[in-house]
């Protein structure tokens, strides 16, 4: 626990089970997560300031371990540095899904939400062009690059550089990598690994929360 801000964070990957993880973590009485699953402070709302960020955790008890889950943080080029500067070397959880499945799931997600109207192959071929200028745009504390966020199907699935950035900034000991396939197939075992990583008591989850665990179609 620290002064009303997260001591751990799940930073991604998108479409790799972060919604499932949110539901499972919420069953543990020693964990506090904000009502809004993705706060996006270190990506989209950095200009709002730390008081705005702290307000999301104001209902936490002093003995609870505060966390946040925003999958865009892993892919956002400046989020890791911002997190370290504001929160120190907190614990980082990263879920990694088979990259091809993640890419296809992300594409389907963008189509359903109306962010994408190109056929899959064309969208993948145009990805580099669509992402042009994202570094300069996102450097601004209020910078938003919609294509970087919504149409980065292949780029987000190239995990190595994203993970290495978190290793470099937070140290390997503070970063837990977990295959999302394990979270879906062996949720109890995966959650015990996470609780141990966070230094929390192991915890029996209600069977209803486990039965709802499934990979995104």
């Amino acid at each position: 626990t620290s002064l009303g801000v997260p001591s751990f964070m799940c930073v991604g990957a998108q479409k790799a089970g972060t919604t499932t993880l949110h539901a499972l973590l919420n069953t543990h009485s020693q964990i506090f997560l904000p009502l809004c699953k993705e706060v996006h402070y270190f990506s989209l709302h950095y200009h709002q300031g730390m008081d705005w960020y702290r307000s999301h955790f104001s209902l936490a008890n002093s003995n609870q371990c505060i966390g946040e889950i925003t999958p865009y943080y892993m892919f956002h080029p400046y989020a890791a540095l911002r997190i370290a500067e504001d929160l120190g070397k907190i614990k980082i959880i990263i879920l990694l899904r088979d990259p091809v499945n993640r890419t296809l799931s992300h594409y389907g997600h963008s189509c359903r939400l109306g962010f994408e109207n190109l056929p899959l192959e064309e969208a993948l071929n145009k990805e580099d062009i669509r992402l042009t200028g994202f570094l300069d745009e996102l450097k601004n504390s209020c910078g938003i690059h919609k294509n970087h966020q919504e149409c980065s199907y292949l780029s987000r699935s190239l995990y190595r550089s994203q993970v290495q950035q978190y290793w470099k900034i937070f140290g390997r000991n503070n970063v837990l990598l977990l295959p999302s396939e394990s979270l879906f197939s062996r949720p109890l075992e995966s959650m015990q690994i996470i609780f141990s990583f966070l230094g929390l008591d192991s915890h029996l989850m209600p069977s209803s929360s486990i039965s709802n665990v499934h990979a995104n179609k």
Side-chain angles (χ1 to χ4, degrees), residues 4-10 18-19 21-23 25-28 30-42 52-61 64-71 73 87:
V5 292
S7 59
F8 79 91
M9 205 168 272
C10 176
T18 56
T19 301
L21 179 65
H22 188 272
L25 286 173
N26 253 336
T27 67
H28 198 302
Q30 289 177 287
I31 290 176
F32 178 87
L33 296 173
L35 292 172
C36 150
K37 181 198 151 207
E38 299 182 17
V39 177
H40 274 292
Y41 174 62
F42 296 101
W52 179 88
Y53 186 51
R54 278 197 186 89
S55 70
H56 289 81
F57 313 103
S58 58
L59 298 177
N61 298 329
Q64 282 182 304
C65 180
I66 296 175
E68 192 213 327
I69 300 177
T70 300
Y73 289 165
L87 305 181

Side-chain angles (χ1 to χ4, degrees), residues 116-132:
E116 184 58 81
N117 52 24
L118 296 179
L120 174 64
E121 197 167 334
E122 194 179 341
L124 297 182
N125 286 336
K126 289 194 169 170
E127 185 167 321
D128 282 351
I129 294 166
R130 285 171 148 187
L131 267 53
T132 303

Side-chain angles (χ1 to χ4, degrees), residues 105-153:
S105 180
H106 183 176
Y107 172 76
H109 176 81
S110 288
C111 288
R112 281 192 304 278
L113 294 178
F115 299 135
E116 184 58 81
N117 52 24
L118 296 179
L120 174 64
E121 197 167 334
E122 194 179 341
L124 297 182
N125 286 336
K126 289 194 169 170
E127 185 167 321
D128 282 351
I129 294 166
R130 285 171 148 187
L131 267 53
T132 303
F134 74 88
L135 279 172
D136 288 338
E137 178 58 42
L138 296 178
K139 197 176 282 182
N140 301 320
S141 62
C142 56
I144 292 174
H145 192 294
K146 234 21 193 168
N147 282 345
H148 184 266
Q149 197 180 345
E150 309 299 353
C151 304
S152 44
Y153 314 116

Side-chain angles (χ1 to χ4, degrees), residues 11 14 36-37 66 68 94 110 125 164 184 191 197 216:
V11 298
Q14 188 200 28
C36 150
K37 181 198 151 207
I66 296 175
E68 192 213 327
I94 295 177
S110 288
N125 286 336
Q164 284 178 335
F184 297 133
M191 293 311 292
F197 173 67
N216 185 291

